[in-house]
C-alpha cells in the first residue's frame, strides 16, 4: 500500500484529520484552528476495518460498548431496537453464508446484529391492554430502523475509541428470513444490519476514506442540487485514494450509479417489502 499524500508541515491534529477526510486544503486550513478533542478525533479517524486479530474482546468491553449504544438518542424514549452478540464461530459462519460470505465476518471475534424491534413494544402494549396498532405503520418501522442506526453508530464510536475496529454489514439483509430464523427473531422485528468488531490487524493498514466535498451535503436554508464540478472533484480525490490503496480503478460516480442501477444490484434486497409485510412490519 502506498503512503497517502501528506498534508503540509504546519499541521495541527485538526488540520491533519480534516485533510484526510476531505483532501481539501482550503477547508482544512479554514477549520484548523477550531477547538479539537478526543471525540472529534475518534469520529474523523473512522475507517471500516475488515482485518482482525484472532483475539476475543477483553471481558466487559461488549457490555461497555452496549452502554454507549444505549446512550444514543431514541425516538420518544421508545428504544425500539435490540442487538444480538454472536461469538459462536459456527453461528457466525452460517450468518456469513447469508451475507455474501464476507471474510471479515468469519474472522472477527464478535458479530453484532442490530435489530429494529417493534415486537417488544407490541408485547408491552398488549400487557397494558392496548392493541399496539400504531406499530403497523411505516412511521413505526422508520423509528425502529432509526433507533437501531443511532445505537449502531454510537457502537462504532465507542469501539473505535477503545482501539477496536468495526465494519457494518448491510449484506445481512440479503437473505433476511434465513438470518431471522438463525437468530430466533420474533415477528415485528428484523436485522437492519450486522457489524463486525475486533482488534484491527496491525499488519493491514486501513486508510481514512475521503468524503464528498462538504458543500455537496451541507445546504444553507434551502436545498441546492449538487454542482457537477464538485462531484468531479470528488471523483478525482477518490481516484487518488484508490491508487494509494492499490484498489481497482473506477470512478466513484460510476461505482455508485452501478450500485443502484437496477433490481439485481440490490443483491436480493428487492424483496424486502414483502418480507417486512410478512413479518407484520410496514402494513400501512
Ligand atoms: C449500513 C451499512 C452497510 C454496510 N455494509 C457493508 C458490508 O456488507 N460489507 C462491507 O465490507 N462494508 C459494508 N459497509 C461499509 C461501507 O462500505 C463503508 O462505511 C464505506 O465504504 C465508507 O468507508 P469507511 O467506513 O471506511 O469510511 C456498510 C456500511 C454501512 C453504513
Amino acid at each position: 500500500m502506498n503512503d497517502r499524500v501528506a498534508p503540509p508541515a504546519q499541521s495541527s491534529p485538526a488540520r491533519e484529520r480534516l485533510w484526510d477526510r476531505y483532501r481539501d486544503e482550503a477547508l482544512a486550513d479554514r477549520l484548523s484552528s477550531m477547538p479539537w478533542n478526543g471525540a472529534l478525533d475518534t469520529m474523523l479517524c473512522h475507517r471500516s476495518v475488515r482485518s482482525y486479530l484472532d483475539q476475543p474482546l477483553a471481558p466487559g468491553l461488549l457490555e461497555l460498548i452496549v452502554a454507549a449504544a444505549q446512550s444514543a438518542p431514541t425516538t420518544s424514549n421508545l428504544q425500539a431496537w435490540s442487538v444480538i452478540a454472536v461469538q459462536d464461530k459456527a453461528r457466525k459462519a452460517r450468518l456469513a453464508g447469508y451475507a455474501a460470505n464476507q471474510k471479515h465476518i468469519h474472522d472477527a471475534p464478535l458479530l453484532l446484529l442490530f435489530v429494529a424491534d417493534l415486537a417488544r413494544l407490541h408485547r408491552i402494549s398488549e400487557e397494558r391492554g392496548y392493541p399496539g396498532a400504531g406499530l403497523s405503520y411505516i412511521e413505526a418501522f422508520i423509528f425502529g430502523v432509526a433507533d437501531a442506526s443511532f445505537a449502531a453508530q454510537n457502537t462504532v464510536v465507542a469501539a473505535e475509541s477503545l482501539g477496536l475496529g468495526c465494519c457494518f454489514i448491510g449484506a445481512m439483509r440479503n437473505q433476511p428470513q434465513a438470518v431471522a430464523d438463525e437468530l430466533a427473531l420474533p415477528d415485528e422485528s428484523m436485522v437492519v444490519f450486522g457489524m463486525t468488531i475486533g482488534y484491527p490487524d496491525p499488519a493491514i493498514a486501513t486508510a481514512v476514506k475521503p468524503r464528498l466535498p462538504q458543500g455537496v451535503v451541507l445546504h444553507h436554508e434551502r436545498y441546492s442540487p449538487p454542482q457537477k464540478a464538485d462531484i468531479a472533484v470528488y471523483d478525482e480525490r477518490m481516484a487518488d485514494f484508490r491508487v494509494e490503496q492499490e484498489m481497482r480503478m473506477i470512478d466513484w460516480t460510476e461505482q455508485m450509479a452501478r450500485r443502484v442501477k437496477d433490481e439485481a444490484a440490490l443483491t436480493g434486497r428487492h424483496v424486502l417489502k414483502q418480507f417486512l409485510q410478512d413479518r407484520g412490519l410496514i402494513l400501512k
Side-chain angles (χ1 to χ4, degrees):
M1 189 181 306
N2 300 324
D3 285 342
R4 68 175 172 77
V5 181
Q10 74 282 11
S11 248
S12 63
R15 191 184 194 291
E16 199 162 323
R17 300 299 184 233
L18 287 158
W19 191 90
D20 283 346
R21 185 55 75 201
Y22 292 107
R23 300 186 175 218
D24 176 341
E25 297 289 344
L27 180 90
D29 281 341
R30 200 164 66 250
L31 300 182
S32 62
S33 58
M34 293 299 286
W36 199 251
N37 58 39
L40 287 166
D41 207 71
T42 299
M43 286 187 267
L44 270 89
C45 280
H46 162 76
R47 73 275 323 258
S48 292
V49 168
R50 298 180 177 87
S51 303
Y52 300 99
L53 296 179
D54 183 14
Q55 185 183 329
L57 266 64
L61 277 191
L62 169 62
E63 291 79 6
L64 185 60
I65 288 169
V66 170
Q70 288 193 270
S71 300
T74 143
T75 311
S76 303
N77 204 22
L78 285 165
Q79 308 180 54
W81 66 283
S82 288
V83 62
I84 300 175
V86 172
Q87 302 184 66
D88 178 76
K89 278 190 183 247
R91 174 164 293 113
K92 212 156 44 63
R94 284 195 297 276
L95 288 163
Y98 303 137
N101 225 7
Q102 297 182 57
K103 184 176 176 300
H104 39 296
I105 305 176
H106 292 277
D107 294 348
L110 173 64
L111 174 68
L112 296 181
L113 289 312
F114 285 89
V115 176
D117 188 352
L118 304 185
R120 181 171 58 229
L121 284 167
H122 206 147
R123 188 180 309 164
I124 290 169
S125 294
E126 280 183 346
E127 283 168 4
R128 286 278 164 159
Y130 297 110
L135 295 167
S136 307
Y137 289 81
I138 288 176
E139 162 60 12
F141 179 69
I142 290 175
F143 66 62
V145 170
D147 279 7
S149 303
F150 306 142
Q153 182 53 27
N154 262 26
T155 298
V156 169
V157 174
E160 290 178 353
S161 77
L162 293 163
L164 294 160
C166 313
C167 186
F168 274 93
I169 305 292
M172 280 297 160
R173 298 190 304 274
N174 289 3
Q175 297 185 52
Q177 189 59 54
V179 169
D181 291 344
E182 177 65 45
L183 300 172
L185 283 191
D187 277 353
E188 294 178 279
S189 68
M190 80 165 284
V191 168
V192 182
F193 34 66
M195 186 185 293
T196 54
I197 303 195
Y199 296 99
D201 181 348
I204 314 280
T206 314
V208 165
K209 193 182 281 181
R211 291 294 194 259
L212 284 165
Q214 216 174 72
V216 175
V217 299
L218 172 61
H219 308 253
H220 290 283
E221 310 303 337
R222 302 193 76 198
Y223 188 89
S224 47
Q227 299 297 313
K228 264 191 176 173
D230 290 336
I231 304 287
V233 163
Y234 185 60
D235 270 335
E236 278 169 30
R237 290 174 184 160
M238 279 302 290
D240 291 346
F241 175 82
R242 294 186 83 88
V243 169
E244 290 158 25
Q245 299 301 308
E246 298 174 359
M247 293 164 85
R248 183 177 61 92
M249 191 45 73
I250 179 171
D251 275 353
W252 177 81
T253 42
E254 176 67 22
Q255 193 184 18
M256 296 307 122
R258 288 188 198 174
R259 172 67 178 75
V260 294
K261 124 172 116 79
D262 59 14
E263 189 176 288
L266 295 177
T267 58
R269 302 179 212 175
H270 61 286
V271 298
L272 278 179
K273 184 176 173 190
Q274 190 59 52
F275 169 76
L276 293 172
Q277 287 174 341
D278 292 347
R279 295 187 73 73
L281 292 158
I282 314 200
L283 296 174
K284 296 172 195 164

